[in-house]
């Protein structure tokens, strides 16, 4: 049964068959797009491998880690800015004598070579040396692949930095825990010492507050008895055998 014609009083409402047909069309279109993407992905494999080799060993191995990371980050930012702002000319160029560019790309081994590989070309404008990326379908495809490879390494750098921060945080937490334990032990020792000192002081006060015991003289009979038992004191010490 066909749907009634649309009118102000009777707006058109799609039937179940219309909805089903539209869903099938969307699914077919998505499948075709996925198939095209898979084909393009396979076609770009060789170029991806080429760019990966330009990054490692091209940039990673001849430079120290800090220089290599800074170069990759700078290249990734340059390339991603073009993809994010395709109609803005300022993102498609960089000045060769720019301090950051000199340090991060020119002085890093393999940095300028990578910029040329994704489509940047040297150009002099008003006696100033530039590298400019010229838009074209071929350059756009190359830039997309080169940026993808840079992002792979960018993500690795970020993950490693996050892990390092987490490790440093864990070390700091461990050090803080030890410091807290030492402080707690010190407080417990101090309290224990104060308790012992207080108890000793209380004991001394208690002893000092006791009444003195009266002195009782020794009876004479006890003295005589003791002297008779001991005998003449020292009388044998003056005699020696001849």
């Amino acid at each position: 049964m066909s749907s009634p014609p649309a009118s102000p009083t009777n707006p058109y409402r799609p039937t179940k068959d219309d909805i089903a047909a539209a869903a099938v069309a969307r699914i077919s279109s998505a499948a075709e797009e996925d198939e095209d993407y898979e084909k393009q992905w396979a076609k770009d494999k060789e170029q991806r491998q080429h760019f990966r080799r330009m990054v490692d060993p091209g940039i990673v191995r001849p430079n120290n880690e800090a220089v290599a990371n800074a170069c990759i980050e700078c290249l990734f930012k340059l390339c991603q800015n073009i993809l994010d702002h395709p109609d803005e000319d300022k993102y498609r160029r960089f000045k060769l004598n720019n301090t950051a560019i000199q340090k991060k790309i020119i002085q890093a081994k393999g940095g300028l070579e990578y910029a040329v590989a994704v489509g940047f070309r040297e150009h002099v404008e008003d006696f100033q040396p530039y590298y400019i990326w010229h838009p074209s379908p071929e350059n756009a495809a190359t830039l997309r692949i080169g940026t993808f490879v840079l992002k792979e390494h960018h993500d690795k750098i970020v993950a490693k930095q996050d892990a390092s921060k987490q490790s440093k945080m864990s070390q700091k937490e461990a050090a803080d825990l030890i410091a807290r334990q030492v402080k707690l032990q010190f407080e417990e020792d101090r309290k224990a010492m104060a308790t012992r000192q207080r108890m000793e002081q209380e004991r001394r006060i208690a002893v000092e507050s006791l009444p003195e015991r009266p002195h009782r003289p020794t009876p004479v009979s006890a003295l005589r008895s003791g002297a008779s038992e001991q005998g003449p004191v020292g009388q044998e010490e003056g005699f020696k055998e001849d």
Side-chain angles (χ1 to χ4, degrees), residues 1 5 13 21 30 45 56 64 74 77 82 115 151 156 167 172 193 195 197 231 238 240:
M1 181 178 180
R13 294 182 180 179
K45 180 179 179 180
D56 188 3
N64 64 50
C74 188
K77 185 175 181 180
I82 297 174
K151 188 177 185 306
K156 291 179 183 177
S167 176
K172 184 178 183 301
M193 182 178 293
T195 300
Q197 290 176 347
K240 293 184 179 179

Side-chain angles (χ1 to χ4, degrees), residues 71 74-75 78 94 100-108 111-112 115:
C71 180
C74 188
L75 286 168
L78 288 173
F94 61 82
I101 294 296
Q102 279 284 335
K103 181 179 179 181
K104 297 179 179 180
I105 294 181
I106 308 301
Q107 295 178 8
L112 188 58

Side-chain angles (χ1 to χ4, degrees), residues 121-141:
R121 295 293 182 268
E122 190 173 5
H123 176 75
V124 178
E125 187 175 303
D126 296 331
F127 304 101
Q128 294 292 327
Y130 288 87
Y131 267 80
I132 297 177
W133 185 86
H134 296 283
S136 70
E138 182 180 354
N139 278 354

